[in-house]
Amino acid sequence: MISFVFPWAFLALPLPWLIWRFVPAHKETVPAIRFPFFRQVISEAQLTPAKGAVIMRRSWLQVIAASLIWILLVIAISQPERLGAPIETSKSARDLILAIDISGSMDTRDFTDASNENLQRLAGVRDVVRAFVEGREGDRMALIVFGSKAYLQSPLTEDTGTIVELLDQTEVGMAGPHTAIGDAIGLSIRTFEASEIEQRLLILLSDGADTASRMSPLNAAEIARGAGVEIFTIAVGDPDATGENRVDVAALQDIANRTAGSYFFAADQAALDEIYARIDELAPRLTETQSFRPRQTLHHIPLILAMFIGIGTVAQLQLASHRKMRA
């Protein structure tokens, strides 16, 4: 399909004819030869004297060539372009952050897999999270790990392969032995500030109680709610343990409730796998579809044709003049 960027340019097509028809001819004063007995010669020849004028006569070739060149120039000015078939692209309308607890208690080997073997908590979590991340093609994701402090491992990106690689390189204790849930939420809020997407989802996984945050987890949750962040909390570990090794179920439930999110408890890999499937149901991925048609400009074609017509016409006129002089 051919379209024109400036179709109004075709209004200029009759312009040369309008100028020829309505604009007075250009006049110049030139020296004249005084002819003796002019009146007697005119009288004998029975002619009527008039103002002197020399009118250049154009050949049919010049008229046709000039008309074609003008039409081609007007077409070029109108910017013709070829429109390709519509192409639709989809991009995620959701940004998602994973905040993973890697405090010292995540080294406990009480997480069971499908074969009922005990795994390190972080290793079991990592296997399930890896599959979850790999299935998020098109989503923008970020990874935060936290212990005594929270660290942004990867900013929001569609490169889920990088998220998986960074997750595989994460080890227990890299961020310190304690648990800073509030700081992890605060860092997530700052990370979401670079996002212009409305649906903002934080999945926070922890096996302990907050003992190291500079900001209370509940206060951080209130700020997250004001920023439009929905928090899904996942508890792993032992709620009946003592001290810092006891997962603070009540706090994680309160964080989720304050942000209109959901709370889950995972005792093993199978339960954690189901939790991530449930999160997909509760917060389905939104997409934005954009359609565009590729455009290929064609204005150079009429310009090239006009150039060849002009060169060919000049060459033909020169050849005809040369032959006439030789004759």
Side-chain angles (χ1 to χ4, degrees):
M1 179 180 176
I2 305 298
S3 67
F4 299 91
V5 178
F6 306 115
W8 47 264
F10 287 103
L11 296 175
L13 279 175
L15 185 60
W17 181 84
L18 292 174
I19 294 175
W20 173 80
R21 180 68 179 80
F22 296 106
V23 177
H26 176 67
K27 297 179 180 180
E28 291 184 1
T29 301
V30 297
I33 299 175
R34 190 176 184 82
F35 193 87
F37 311 112
F38 177 75
R39 295 184 181 277
Q40 289 84 343
V41 172
I42 290 298
S43 176
E44 291 295 330
Q46 296 182 352
L47 298 175
T48 301
K51 294 182 178 179
V54 177
I55 301 176
M56 299 293 293
R57 296 294 177 183
R58 296 180 179 86
S59 67
W60 63 268
L61 178 62
Q62 289 175 298
V63 173
I64 293 175
S67 300
L68 289 176
I69 289 173
W70 176 250
I71 292 172
L72 290 171
L73 289 177
V74 170
I75 293 174
I77 293 172
S78 69
Q79 291 287 320
E81 54 187 19
R82 180 184 290 114
L83 294 179
I87 298 176
E88 290 189 352
T89 58
S90 297
K91 68 175 184 177
S92 175
R94 176 176 73 183
D95 281 345
L96 188 152
I97 295 179
L98 288 173
I100 307 295
D101 187 349
I102 59 170
S103 61
S105 56
M106 288 293 286
D107 195 34
T108 306
R109 302 182 67 87
D110 62 353
F111 213 65
T112 57
D113 61 8
S115 59
N116 208 30
E117 293 184 3
N118 287 337
L119 298 175
Q120 180 199 53
R121 287 178 184 173
L122 180 60
V125 167
R126 193 160 47 201
D127 291 341
V128 177
V129 172
R130 184 187 301 112
F132 175 78
V133 171
E134 290 173 346
R136 304 277 73 74
E137 183 178 353
D139 273 345
R140 286 207 317 169
M141 299 187 68
L143 176 63
I144 290 175
V145 296
F146 63 95
S148 300
K149 292 185 178 180
Y151 297 95
L152 179 64
Q153 292 291 87
S154 171
L156 289 166
T157 177
E158 294 183 7
D159 186 3
T160 55
T162 299
I163 301 289
V164 171
E165 184 176 348
L166 290 170
L167 187 62
D168 288 340
Q169 296 173 1
T170 301
E171 298 294 341
V172 172
M174 289 177 60
H178 305 294
T179 305
I181 296 175
D183 289 352
I185 297 174
L187 182 56
S188 300
I189 296 170
R190 289 197 296 272
T191 304
F192 277 127
E193 288 177 353
S195 170
E196 297 179 355
I197 295 178
E198 291 185 4
Q199 189 182 25
R200 303 172 178 183
L201 181 63
L202 168 62
I203 299 177
L204 186 144
L205 185 147
S206 177
D207 73 336
D210 188 275
T211 57
S213 290
R214 291 171 295 178
M215 177 187 296
S216 163
L218 299 183
N219 288 340
E222 289 291 341
I223 297 173
R225 181 177 63 179
V229 178
E230 189 176 358
I231 303 178
F232 286 72
T233 57
I234 302 175
V236 297
D238 186 1
D240 298 324
T242 59
E244 194 169 333
N245 292 329
R246 181 184 65 84
V247 59
D248 192 347
V249 172
L252 294 176
Q253 288 176 332
D254 204 355
I255 290 170
N257 292 336
R258 288 176 185 241
T259 61
S262 296
Y263 160 80
F264 303 94
F265 179 81
D268 52 31
Q269 272 192 332
L272 185 58
D273 211 355
E274 292 178 4
I275 288 170
Y276 279 113
R278 179 61 177 155
I279 289 174
D280 273 341
E281 294 176 5
L282 294 175
R285 177 179 175 233
L286 300 180
T287 58
E288 292 180 350
T289 301
Q290 296 178 338
S291 177
F292 73 96
R293 304 185 69 170
R295 298 172 180 267
Q296 179 185 6
T297 181
L298 302 174
H299 70 278
H300 60 283
I301 296 177
L303 288 177
I304 292 174
L305 290 176
M307 180 184 69
F308 279 121
I309 291 174
I311 293 174
T313 301
V314 172
Q316 178 62 29
L317 292 174
Q318 290 293 333
L319 183 60
S321 176
H322 182 66
R323 287 176 179 174
K324 186 177 181 180
M325 290 178 61
R326 291 184 62 181

